[in-house]
């Protein structure tokens, strides 16, 4: 005699939803495990934050050099970090990591920022890609020379 258990549609849907949410939560948690790099020696000079171009270089234990897609910059007295994204060797963007919706500090990812408060998303130039935020983020002009990148804050 075999025993076959039947479940109703509602129980099946609730079980599937819980499983899906578990997978989404796990993937989100694991994606947050990537380390975020903060510039080690930013210098405030003439209303610009100066960071060395070498800050974008990551050296592995084997001595291999890779280029980070972004770094974060914190300065004393600054309310939120600045997300500096590298498009290529001469083009960068700098965005204040303060959500334009309710002011939460944003989470940094490769190419975009997310708000842990209400789920707003912004691209690497500070434009809204997902609400509820409606306004873009505060951005800063960026310039560079062969050794440094300058984030103009004034």
């Amino acid at each position: 005699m075999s025993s076959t258990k039947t479940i109703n549609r509602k129980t099946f849907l609730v079980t599937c939803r819980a499983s899906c949410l578990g997978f989404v939560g796990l993937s989100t948690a694991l994606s947050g495990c990537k380390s975020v790099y903060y510039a080690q020696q930013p210098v405030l000079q003439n209303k610009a934050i100066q960071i060395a171009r070498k800050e974008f270089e990551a050296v592995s234990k084997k001595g291999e050099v890779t280029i980070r897609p972004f770094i974060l910059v914190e300065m004393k007295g600054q309310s939120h970090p600045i997300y500096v994204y590298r498009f290529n060797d001469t083009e960068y963007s700098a965005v204040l990591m303060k959500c334009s919706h309710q002011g939460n500090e944003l989470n940094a990812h490769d190419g975009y920022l997310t708000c842990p408060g209400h789920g707003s998303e912004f691209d690497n130039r500070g434009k809204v890609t997902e609400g509820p935020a409606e306004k873009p983020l505060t951005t800063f002009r960026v310039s560079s020379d062969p050794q440094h990148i300058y984030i103009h804050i004034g």
Side-chain angles (χ1 to χ4, degrees):
M1 185 159 50
S2 71
S3 77
T4 305
K5 184 177 179 183
T6 58
I7 60 173
N8 66 29
R9 183 175 187 268
K10 182 178 178 183
T11 303
F12 174 76
L13 292 174
V14 168
T15 303
C16 287
R17 183 179 69 198
S19 296
C20 288
L21 288 174
F23 286 123
V24 168
L26 179 61
S27 68
T28 302
L30 291 176
S31 70
C33 291
K34 282 187 178 177
S35 63
V36 176
Y37 180 81
Y38 285 83
Q40 299 299 300
Q41 297 179 344
V43 176
L44 183 59
Q45 191 173 42
N46 299 328
K47 295 188 179 185
I49 299 172
Q50 173 186 299
I51 54 176
R53 282 182 182 266
K54 288 192 176 271
E55 294 276 17
F56 281 90
E57 295 179 3
V59 181
S60 73
K61 291 179 182 177
K62 295 179 181 178
E64 299 166 340
V65 177
T66 58
I67 303 298
R68 294 181 176 94
F70 70 92
I71 63 173
L72 303 183
V73 178
E74 283 187 315
M75 297 294 292
K76 191 173 186 172
Q78 186 178 307
S79 66
H80 292 75
I82 296 174
Y83 173 85
V84 182
Y85 188 83
R86 181 186 186 276
F87 294 97
N88 57 52
D89 199 36
T90 59
E91 185 183 4
Y92 300 85
S93 66
V95 178
L96 187 65
M97 294 178 59
K98 180 179 180 181
C99 185
S100 59
H101 178 235
Q102 289 188 342
N104 294 321
E105 184 170 317
L106 301 172
N107 294 325
H109 308 277
D110 180 2
Y112 66 102
L113 299 160
T114 58
C115 180
H118 294 105
S120 293
E121 290 186 15
F122 304 87
D123 69 12
N124 50 21
R125 295 186 186 274
K127 294 180 183 158
V128 178
T129 57
E130 184 74 36
E134 295 177 356
K135 296 178 184 176
L137 300 174
T138 300
T139 60
F140 304 97
R141 185 173 66 84
V142 180
S143 63
S144 62
D145 63 28
Q147 286 80 34
H148 298 96
I149 299 161
Y150 303 94
I151 305 163
H152 301 272
I153 58 172

